[in-house]
Amino acid sequence: DSPGKAITLSGGSLERFVDVIPSHWHDTKEYRESRLKMHREIFVLDSKINIRVNNKPFLHMALVDAKCNSVRGSLRKVVRLLKNLKYDASPEVQFTSYDIVAVCYHMSVEELSIPFGLDLMLLDRLQKHLDFIARNDSYRNALSVPDRSRKIFDKLEKLNGFIRLKQELETLIRDLARELNPLADYISPDKILNTPVIL
């Protein structure tokens, strides 16, 4: 009976717990015309409020993939980094993976485009992006998930999780800067991260 969108089944022939999500396809007008999977939607039953909730997972994935491909994989790199920080934090950061993808999706193509071999520049650009979101209420409150089905920060508690995730990133950047340069405490971390590492 919790959460409202999934039923956990076990026992019988099942060797482990299985989450079943009551849902059904919704073939939109665009899907009937194009037959492109990205235009197909689903409805998920939320048993807590007894309504069907519209969901566009294929459009979400198509938009994220297209942007990631346009920046040679940089979007996936920053998403993967933040997800790892979320799960490695103790206690775990309360900010969903879906919202992490949405926040990173709003990085500009310029921010995500880096010269070959300078991946550490992404850390500096990601930190500046998260700082901008944290400091600018009107910008933050206007941000939507990629398929525009809802706002990212649609609940107040999400901001607390986001701030904790930002702090985890800042700790990683400080530790990494010290690892790369013993004088990191006296040099701006962005100068260290934006300098090519010579091996």
Side-chain angles (χ1 to χ4, degrees):
D1 61 356
S2 178
K5 295 176 186 171
I7 301 168
T8 301
L9 302 177
S10 63
S13 62
L14 299 173
E15 295 181 11
R16 60 181 61 85
F17 289 102
V18 176
D19 285 338
V20 176
I21 300 175
S23 59
H24 67 81
W25 291 110
H26 174 64
D27 292 344
T28 63
K29 178 178 179 284
E30 292 86 356
Y31 174 74
R32 280 184 250 122
E33 291 171 355
S34 70
R35 289 303 195 204
L36 293 175
K37 189 176 180 181
M38 66 182 284
H39 293 140
R40 205 170 196 198
E41 300 175 359
I42 61 171
F43 276 91
V44 176
L45 176 65
D46 187 335
S47 63
K48 294 286 186 193
I49 52 178
N50 201 30
I51 63 167
R52 296 174 306 135
V53 179
N54 182 259
N55 199 307
K56 304 172 183 173
F58 308 112
L59 178 59
H60 171 86
M61 288 184 287
L63 292 169
V64 170
D65 286 347
K67 184 158 189 179
C68 191
N69 292 338
S70 75
V71 292
R72 298 191 318 267
S74 291
L75 179 56
R76 280 189 198 89
K77 289 177 183 177
V78 293
V79 166
R80 198 174 304 120
L81 171 68
L82 290 184
K83 284 184 180 181
N84 284 334
L85 290 175
K86 164 189 162 67
Y87 292 115
D88 288 346
S90 181
E92 185 180 311
V93 172
Q94 297 304 305
F95 196 67
T96 70
S97 294
Y98 188 81
D99 288 328
I100 287 173
V101 172
V103 162
C104 294
Y105 181 81
H106 284 284
M107 289 180 74
S108 69
V109 169
E110 291 74 23
E111 288 173 310
L112 290 167
S113 299
I114 55 163
F116 180 77
L118 294 179
D119 288 357
L120 290 181
M121 289 177 76
L122 283 173
L123 290 175
D124 179 50
R125 292 179 182 187
L126 177 60
Q127 181 185 23
K128 287 175 179 165
H129 176 68
L130 299 189
D131 282 344
F132 186 78
I133 292 172
R135 286 193 321 268
N136 293 278
D137 293 353
S138 58
Y139 176 74
R140 180 179 63 248
N141 294 332
L143 293 177
S144 295
V145 296
D147 65 18
R148 298 186 181 180
S149 59
R150 67 166 174 83
K151 300 293 185 189
I152 298 173
F153 294 93
D154 56 351
K155 296 175 184 164
L156 186 59
E157 59 267 20
K158 285 188 179 182
L159 181 57
N160 296 329
F162 172 79
I163 296 299
R164 272 218 49 227
L165 185 62
K166 186 172 91 68
Q167 291 166 344
E168 292 290 326
L169 177 66
E170 289 163 353
T171 299
L172 172 70
I173 288 173
R174 279 194 304 273
D175 292 346
L176 184 57
R178 285 190 192 106
E179 187 75 26
L180 291 171
N181 190 325
L183 300 175
D185 290 333
Y186 308 100
I187 302 171
S188 174
D190 64 326
K191 288 185 179 173
I192 297 172
L193 297 175
N194 290 308
T195 303
V197 178
I198 301 171
L199 300 175

